[in-house]
Amino acid sequence: MTDELTGPEQFTDEDRRYSGSRFRDVVDALFANPYQTVWGREGEPPLPDREQTIKSVFGGLLARGRSSRFEGASARTLDSAADLRWGSDRKGFARFLHPTGVCLVGRWQITEDTPYSGYFRRASKALVVARYSSGGGGNRRGRIRSLALVGKLFPTMDPDHHMPLRTANFITQQDIGGERSDSINAAELRNAPDVTVFRRGPAGTLLIKVASVFRRVDAEPTIRQLYPIAELGKAGDEPTRAPAFMRLLVAPEQPVIAGEDLDVRDEVMAQIFDRGDPVPKRTLTFTIDVTDDGDTSGTPFRVRRTFRNWRRIGSLVFDNAVVSHNGDAVIHFAHPTWRQDRDDPATATRLNKVKVR
């Protein structure tokens, strides 16, 4: 991974100028440069693979300069709300973590009564752009990997809404140390995943270094709170009421895509498309479960979380997808800074791009 591909990582004028995005502009950007013009068609080039290693993220075990660059990138994901980060050459920047993935387009819908605010309220509907990716052991089935789904909600159901809209982002993932899941159907994605550092073997050193950087720029490196969604579209004087935990599961009616050593990007695409046919044929649905009842135990190297009283409140339904350069290098998903009280903005760890707690 070259310097040209990875920088600049810090907060820039492009981030500073952000005032919202049009859904259509973001989708058009994702579909502008697919790696395969038609997914799975004979003669198309293979999808690119990029490893995550101590060297690619930090420049080596003892390197210093790259560590500060990764720290700048970590702070920027907390401070920048930008949906697209183009860079001066309009090619974006390669990710340090989860460098390859597949982007999805669809809708968020809450169908059940809830005590929460914003787009967790019943009857809430939003357009969604999401990215499914794999961290750790690569993209292939049968290996230790950490599957993840991140997304951004646009507070509209009009794909051609003409005004830029500020989005709300969510982050969900399997065990950060990885799991050996047979398919995306078997993966449990949560905003508060378990952590098994040494499940990756020697590569666990990378997780330890990453966690140390995350703690320097924020407070809690393994939980991504849900208040951005609970604050989307609500009146300024209305109190925030966000669930503590969210779980996304592939809906039980979705088929399991067969194939040994299957790339997760191909697996996701096959849920929606037939190989070699550019027209979407099906949808991919995830159920949305929430709870406020959970506990954390263990050590920093082996974090275990237990939950009770999950409630199914809605679904994410995706009807299009693409594997593209802009999906790997341009789209940006803001990470929420930790709040001591998830419903109180005044308790945020970072304020005005500075860690204050």
Side-chain angles (χ1 to χ4, degrees), residues 61-300:
L61 189 60
L62 302 177
R64 293 180 178 272
R66 185 65 67 89
S67 179
S68 64
R69 293 180 59 190
F70 179 70
E71 187 164 330
S74 301
R76 183 255 306 145
T77 62
L78 296 162
D79 298 333
S80 173
D83 298 307
L84 300 170
R85 300 186 77 245
W86 290 100
S88 59
D89 61 0
R90 304 290 292 177
K91 294 182 180 179
F93 316 100
R95 286 170 161 80
F96 285 113
L97 304 177
H98 290 254
T100 59
V102 50
C103 286
L104 299 122
V105 179
R107 62 188 183 275
W108 163 284
Q109 50 195 24
I110 302 301
T111 56
E112 305 302 318
D113 288 330
T114 79
Y116 309 119
S117 60
Y119 272 68
F120 280 114
R121 186 179 286 114
R122 183 177 182 173
S124 295
K125 294 182 179 181
L127 294 174
V128 176
V129 171
R131 185 174 186 266
Y132 203 108
S133 62
S134 174
N139 293 309
R140 298 286 174 176
R141 176 178 287 175
R143 303 177 188 179
I144 297 293
R145 56 186 182 169
S146 182
L147 301 178
L149 179 64
V150 301
K152 55 178 73 266
L153 277 63
F154 290 77
T156 180
M157 287 300 290
D158 179 2
D160 295 307
H161 190 282
H162 67 286
M163 293 295 293
L165 299 169
R166 297 186 74 91
T167 61
N169 292 224
F170 65 83
I171 315 289
T172 63
Q173 190 170 353
Q174 281 185 306
D175 188 310
I176 295 174
E179 299 181 31
R180 201 182 298 276
S181 50
D182 292 332
S183 66
I184 64 169
N185 306 66
E188 181 173 305
L189 308 177
R190 303 194 305 259
N191 72 306
D194 291 344
V195 184
T196 312
V197 169
F198 293 110
R199 189 172 281 166
R200 293 193 189 181
T205 306
L206 171 61
L207 287 185
I208 295 171
K209 286 178 69 70
V210 166
S212 68
V213 171
F214 284 174
R215 285 195 180 278
R216 286 201 296 272
V217 300
D218 203 18
E220 171 49 71
T222 65
I223 300 177
R224 295 302 177 188
Q225 290 170 315
L226 302 165
Y227 61 80
I229 297 174
E231 292 176 346
L232 186 66
K234 79 173 184 64
D237 58 353
E238 178 189 354
T240 298
R241 297 183 301 278
F245 307 109
M246 181 172 74
R247 176 178 68 179
L248 303 180
L249 302 171
V250 172
E253 63 269 19
Q254 295 289 154
V256 175
I257 305 300
E260 292 186 12
D261 203 38
L262 183 64
D263 189 308
V264 69
R265 295 168 294 179
D266 290 326
E267 183 180 1
V268 170
M269 292 293 285
Q271 289 281 354
I272 297 174
F273 293 91
D274 291 336
R275 283 184 176 272
D277 188 336
V279 179
K281 295 294 192 294
R282 297 167 292 276
T283 58
L284 171 57
T285 298
F286 291 81
T287 57
I288 303 171
D289 300 338
V290 295
T291 184
D292 295 324
D293 194 357
D295 299 304
T296 298
S297 61
T299 71

